[in-house]
Amino acid sequence: MLSHSSSEATEAVLQTFYDKLEDFSVAPLWTVQEDVLVSEPKSKALPHLWRWSELRPQAMRAAELVGTADAERRVLMMLNPGLDGRIATTNSLFSGLQIVMPGETARAHRHTPAALRFMVDSKGGYTTVDGDKVPMLPGDLILTPNWNWHDHGNDTDSPMIWLDGLDIPLVRMLESVFFEPYPEDVQPITQAKDFSFLKYGAGSLTPAWQTSDSSHSPLMHYPWDKTCEALQGLAPATEGSPFDGVVLEYTNPTNGGPAFPTMGCHVQLLRPGESTKAHRHTSSTIYHSVEGSGHTIVDGQKLSWEPKDVFCVPGWTYHEHINASDTESAVLFSFTDAPVLQSLSLLREQAHPDGHQS
């Protein structure tokens, strides 16, 4: 009959053995196994909120002090206070606030991290993605898939500010970051204006003469007016999700999948006075308040948000949303690393046993 073995080695003998193992660049797993194989994950990232009222003046000041000739991108990084100085907003996602002033261009380049832009404040302007000049109006979502040439331009008389979302922390962890500047400051426009929207923006209607096997959405531009129309039309007709209200995903129109293989994008509407139930999932999420005000309770912490604020929810952290108004709807945009976890069979979700956090 088999049984567990035991040893009478003293602590001193064991420590001498462990010290000797370092000479071979090895170490005993059994001394750290309880730290590695935990019963459930606990993110080092903390729930945190960045206020638009505080960040916009800093973005404007940055525009005064730093020109686009001095910075590849004029971005204020939203760094999580729990991640020890890492360039990260959650463990695998990065968010920042980018500003381009009237008459400026942010020079063309490409990189392996995928990027999204959610327009916060502008009267127009554009991003050119691989020769496709895409307009940028408030509420618009613009995609920049990895290794696509892209530059930004402001041809209006007002600053344009948007929320950047990238998978930089994940790609850096995988040691797969590549970057290349374009030979000129601005790439040529080689397609009809907003061509990806002309081609794929009809939703259920896609070009019949070709197929796309790309892992990312071929639609670079999701205009806010179409998004808002879908939300407002659906809200009276459905209860929606008990955890997220009326929530829609920005999908790849050719296969119904996420916008990127590494990041999914959502928009949700909370009806007047609506309070969702609490749940948690292994994916982390970064939220941007588009309209309305309210608060989100994250791991027992109340984060009160106003229009244009940004906050993050670390993975496997209970959270629930509350619309503070009895008369006005609230709308949140968000992006998440759920597609990565889904592809690795690591995406897990759990409702709070009491429905709400105490």
PDB file of all heavy atoms in Angstrom, residues 68-86:
ATOM      1  N   THR A  68       3.858  68.155 -30.519  1.00  0.00           N
ATOM      2  CA  THR A  68       3.820  66.833 -31.149  1.00  0.00           C
ATOM      3  C   THR A  68       5.170  66.470 -31.772  1.00  0.00           C
ATOM      4  O   THR A  68       5.420  65.300 -32.053  1.00  0.00           O
ATOM      5  CB  THR A  68       2.721  66.779 -32.228  1.00  0.00           C
ATOM      6  OG1 THR A  68       2.892  67.875 -33.145  1.00  0.00           O
ATOM      7  CG2 THR A  68       1.350  66.867 -31.592  1.00  0.00           C
ATOM      8  N   ALA A  69       6.033  67.477 -31.992  1.00  0.00           N
ATOM      9  CA  ALA A  69       7.387  67.181 -32.458  1.00  0.00           C
ATOM     10  C   ALA A  69       8.250  66.614 -31.334  1.00  0.00           C
ATOM     11  O   ALA A  69       9.270  65.964 -31.583  1.00  0.00           O
ATOM     12  CB  ALA A  69       8.035  68.445 -33.030  1.00  0.00           C
ATOM     13  N   ASP A  70       7.844  66.848 -30.087  1.00  0.00           N
ATOM     14  CA  ASP A  70       8.614  66.404 -28.926  1.00  0.00           C
ATOM     15  C   ASP A  70       8.114  65.082 -28.353  1.00  0.00           C
ATOM     16  O   ASP A  70       8.831  64.452 -27.565  1.00  0.00           O
ATOM     17  CB  ASP A  70       8.550  67.470 -27.822  1.00  0.00           C
ATOM     18  CG  ASP A  70       8.986  68.844 -28.314  1.00  0.00           C
ATOM     19  OD1 ASP A  70      10.030  68.913 -28.987  1.00  0.00           O
ATOM     20  OD2 ASP A  70       8.274  69.819 -28.039  1.00  0.00           O
ATOM     21  N   ALA A  71       6.911  64.689 -28.698  1.00  0.00           N
ATOM     22  CA  ALA A  71       6.330  63.464 -28.132  1.00  0.00           C
ATOM     23  C   ALA A  71       5.702  62.651 -29.256  1.00  0.00           C
ATOM     24  O   ALA A  71       4.942  63.181 -30.066  1.00  0.00           O
ATOM     25  CB  ALA A  71       5.276  63.810 -27.085  1.00  0.00           C
ATOM     26  N   GLU A  72       6.035  61.372 -29.295  1.00  0.00           N
ATOM     27  CA  GLU A  72       5.434  60.506 -30.310  1.00  0.00           C
ATOM     28  C   GLU A  72       3.914  60.538 -30.201  1.00  0.00           C
ATOM     29  O   GLU A  72       3.201  60.590 -31.195  1.00  0.00           O
ATOM     30  CB  GLU A  72       5.945  59.076 -30.136  1.00  0.00           C
ATOM     31  CG  GLU A  72       5.547  58.122 -31.254  1.00  0.00           C
ATOM     32  CD  GLU A  72       6.245  58.431 -32.569  1.00  0.00           C
ATOM     33  OE1 GLU A  72       7.385  58.918 -32.529  1.00  0.00           O
ATOM     34  OE2 GLU A  72       5.644  58.182 -33.628  1.00  0.00           O
ATOM     35  N   ARG A  73       3.423  60.523 -28.967  1.00  0.00           N
ATOM     36  CA  ARG A  73       2.007  60.709 -28.694  1.00  0.00           C
ATOM     37  C   ARG A  73       1.889  61.487 -27.379  1.00  0.00           C
ATOM     38  O   ARG A  73       2.547  61.154 -26.392  1.00  0.00           O
ATOM     39  CB  ARG A  73       1.267  59.358 -28.560  1.00  0.00           C
ATOM     40  CG  ARG A  73       1.132  58.573 -29.863  1.00  0.00           C
ATOM     41  CD  ARG A  73       0.216  59.267 -30.842  1.00  0.00           C
ATOM     42  NE  ARG A  73      -0.036  58.472 -32.029  1.00  0.00           N
ATOM     43  CZ  ARG A  73       0.626  58.579 -33.183  1.00  0.00           C
ATOM     44  NH1 ARG A  73       1.631  59.455 -33.277  1.00  0.00           N
ATOM     45  NH2 ARG A  73       0.309  57.827 -34.219  1.00  0.00           N
ATOM     46  N   ARG A  74       1.050  62.505 -27.382  1.00  0.00           N
ATOM     47  CA  ARG A  74       0.850  63.314 -26.166  1.00  0.00           C
ATOM     48  C   ARG A  74      -0.272  62.663 -25.361  1.00  0.00           C
ATOM     49  O   ARG A  74      -1.444  62.962 -25.531  1.00  0.00           O
ATOM     50  CB  ARG A  74       0.505  64.752 -26.546  1.00  0.00           C
ATOM     51  CG  ARG A  74       0.619  65.729 -25.377  1.00  0.00           C
ATOM     52  CD  ARG A  74      -0.074  67.031 -25.696  1.00  0.00           C
ATOM     53  NE  ARG A  74       0.679  67.877 -26.600  1.00  0.00           N
ATOM     54  CZ  ARG A  74       0.207  68.328 -27.776  1.00  0.00           C
ATOM     55  NH1 ARG A  74      -0.994  67.969 -28.190  1.00  0.00           N
ATOM     56  NH2 ARG A  74       0.923  69.127 -28.532  1.00  0.00           N
ATOM     57  N   VAL A  75       0.113  61.756 -24.483  1.00  0.00           N
ATOM     58  CA  VAL A  75      -0.838  60.930 -23.743  1.00  0.00           C
ATOM     59  C   VAL A  75      -0.552  61.032 -22.251  1.00  0.00           C
ATOM     60  O   VAL A  75       0.594  60.926 -21.815  1.00  0.00           O
ATOM     61  CB  VAL A  75      -0.751  59.450 -24.182  1.00  0.00           C
ATOM     62  CG1 VAL A  75      -1.698  58.585 -23.353  1.00  0.00           C
ATOM     63  CG2 VAL A  75      -1.066  59.303 -25.666  1.00  0.00           C
ATOM     64  N   LEU A  76      -1.605  61.224 -21.460  1.00  0.00           N
ATOM     65  CA  LEU A  76      -1.514  61.112 -20.016  1.00  0.00           C
ATOM     66  C   LEU A  76      -1.923  59.690 -19.635  1.00  0.00           C
ATOM     67  O   LEU A  76      -3.069  59.290 -19.832  1.00  0.00           O
ATOM     68  CB  LEU A  76      -2.436  62.132 -19.330  1.00  0.00           C
ATOM     69  CG  LEU A  76      -2.110  63.609 -19.573  1.00  0.00           C
ATOM     70  CD1 LEU A  76      -3.120  64.493 -18.831  1.00  0.00           C
ATOM     71  CD2 LEU A  76      -0.695  63.946 -19.130  1.00  0.00           C
ATOM     72  N   MET A  77      -0.976  58.928 -19.109  1.00  0.00           N
ATOM     73  CA  MET A  77      -1.231  57.530 -18.784  1.00  0.00           C
ATOM     74  C   MET A  77      -2.036  57.413 -17.494  1.00  0.00           C
ATOM     75  O   MET A  77      -1.759  58.111 -16.519  1.00  0.00           O
ATOM     76  CB  MET A  77       0.088  56.771 -18.630  1.00  0.00           C
ATOM     77  CG  MET A  77       0.990  56.808 -19.835  1.00  0.00           C
ATOM     78  SD  MET A  77       2.482  55.789 -19.611  1.00  0.00           S
ATOM     79  CE  MET A  77       3.316  56.681 -18.287  1.00  0.00           C
ATOM     80  N   MET A  78      -3.010  56.534 -17.481  1.00  0.00           N
ATOM     81  CA  MET A  78      -3.781  56.242 -16.275  1.00  0.00           C
ATOM     82  C   MET A  78      -3.176  54.993 -15.634  1.00  0.00           C
ATOM     83  O   MET A  78      -3.428  53.875 -16.072  1.00  0.00           O
ATOM     84  CB  MET A  78      -5.246  56.034 -16.623  1.00  0.00           C
ATOM     85  CG  MET A  78      -5.890  57.272 -17.243  1.00  0.00           C
ATOM     86  SD  MET A  78      -7.627  57.022 -17.658  1.00  0.00           S
ATOM     87  CE  MET A  78      -7.974  58.567 -18.519  1.00  0.00           C
ATOM     88  N   LEU A  79      -2.338  55.217 -14.628  1.00  0.00           N
ATOM     89  CA  LEU A  79      -1.574  54.137 -14.021  1.00  0.00           C
ATOM     90  C   LEU A  79      -2.241  53.659 -12.739  1.00  0.00           C
ATOM     91  O   LEU A  79      -2.570  54.455 -11.869  1.00  0.00           O
ATOM     92  CB  LEU A  79      -0.150  54.615 -13.729  1.00  0.00           C
ATOM     93  CG  LEU A  79       0.639  55.119 -14.943  1.00  0.00           C
ATOM     94  CD1 LEU A  79       2.032  55.567 -14.517  1.00  0.00           C
ATOM     95  CD2 LEU A  79       0.730  54.052 -16.029  1.00  0.00           C
ATOM     96  N   ASN A  80      -2.404  52.359 -12.638  1.00  0.00           N
ATOM     97  CA  ASN A  80      -3.062  51.796 -11.456  1.00  0.00           C
ATOM     98  C   ASN A  80      -2.153  51.911 -10.243  1.00  0.00           C
ATOM     99  O   ASN A  80      -0.994  51.479 -10.283  1.00  0.00           O
ATOM    100  CB  ASN A  80      -3.434  50.334 -11.704  1.00  0.00           C
ATOM    101  CG  ASN A  80      -4.369  49.804 -10.658  1.00  0.00           C
ATOM    102  OD1 ASN A  80      -3.997  49.556  -9.526  1.00  0.00           O
ATOM    103  ND2 ASN A  80      -5.633  49.626 -11.039  1.00  0.00           N
ATOM    104  N   PRO A  81      -2.644  52.470  -9.139  1.00  0.00           N
ATOM    105  CA  PRO A  81      -1.790  52.658  -7.953  1.00  0.00           C
ATOM    106  C   PRO A  81      -1.354  51.365  -7.294  1.00  0.00           C
ATOM    107  O   PRO A  81      -0.450  51.374  -6.453  1.00  0.00           O
ATOM    108  CB  PRO A  81      -2.672  53.489  -7.016  1.00  0.00           C
ATOM    109  CG  PRO A  81      -4.081  53.224  -7.457  1.00  0.00           C
ATOM    110  CD  PRO A  81      -4.002  53.021  -8.944  1.00  0.00           C
ATOM    111  N   GLY A  82      -1.958  50.239  -7.660  1.00  0.00           N
ATOM    112  CA  GLY A  82      -1.575  48.977  -7.042  1.00  0.00           C
ATOM    113  C   GLY A  82      -0.564  48.179  -7.837  1.00  0.00           C
ATOM    114  O   GLY A  82      -0.160  47.094  -7.404  1.00  0.00           O
ATOM    115  N   LEU A  83      -0.132  48.688  -8.994  1.00  0.00           N
ATOM    116  CA  LEU A  83       0.719  47.892  -9.875  1.00  0.00           C
ATOM    117  C   LEU A  83       2.176  48.359  -9.896  1.00  0.00           C
ATOM    118  O   LEU A  83       2.888  48.155 -10.884  1.00  0.00           O
ATOM    119  CB  LEU A  83       0.127  47.871 -11.295  1.00  0.00           C
ATOM    120  CG  LEU A  83      -1.204  47.128 -11.415  1.00  0.00           C
ATOM    121  CD1 LEU A  83      -1.728  47.167 -12.838  1.00  0.00           C
ATOM    122  CD2 LEU A  83      -1.059  45.674 -10.945  1.00  0.00           C
ATOM    123  N   ASP A  84       2.606  49.022  -8.847  1.00  0.00           N
ATOM    124  CA  ASP A  84       4.032  49.303  -8.621  1.00  0.00           C
ATOM    125  C   ASP A  84       4.719  49.957  -9.817  1.00  0.00           C
ATOM    126  O   ASP A  84       5.791  49.511 -10.256  1.00  0.00           O
ATOM    127  CB  ASP A  84       4.778  48.010  -8.258  1.00  0.00           C
ATOM    128  CG  ASP A  84       4.254  47.372  -6.983  1.00  0.00           C
ATOM    129  OD1 ASP A  84       3.849  48.122  -6.074  1.00  0.00           O
ATOM    130  OD2 ASP A  84       4.233  46.134  -6.902  1.00  0.00           O
ATOM    131  N   GLY A  85       4.110  50.983 -10.365  1.00  0.00           N
ATOM    132  CA  GLY A  85       4.762  51.734 -11.423  1.00  0.00           C
ATOM    133  C   GLY A  85       4.730  51.097 -12.791  1.00  0.00           C
ATOM    134  O   GLY A  85       5.341  51.616 -13.734  1.00  0.00           O
ATOM    135  N   ARG A  86       4.060  49.982 -12.961  1.00  0.00           N
ATOM    136  CA  ARG A  86       3.928  49.375 -14.291  1.00  0.00           C
ATOM    137  C   ARG A  86       3.120  50.304 -15.201  1.00  0.00           C
ATOM    138  O   ARG A  86       2.266  51.056 -14.740  1.00  0.00           O
ATOM    139  CB  ARG A  86       3.221  48.020 -14.208  1.00  0.00           C
ATOM    140  CG  ARG A  86       4.053  46.896 -13.631  1.00  0.00           C
ATOM    141  CD  ARG A  86       3.238  45.606 -13.610  1.00  0.00           C
ATOM    142  NE  ARG A  86       2.732  45.282 -14.946  1.00  0.00           N
ATOM    143  CZ  ARG A  86       1.653  44.524 -15.168  1.00  0.00           C
ATOM    144  NH1 ARG A  86       0.951  44.039 -14.143  1.00  0.00           N
ATOM    145  NH2 ARG A  86       1.263  44.266 -16.388  1.00  0.00           N
TER     146      ARG A  86
END
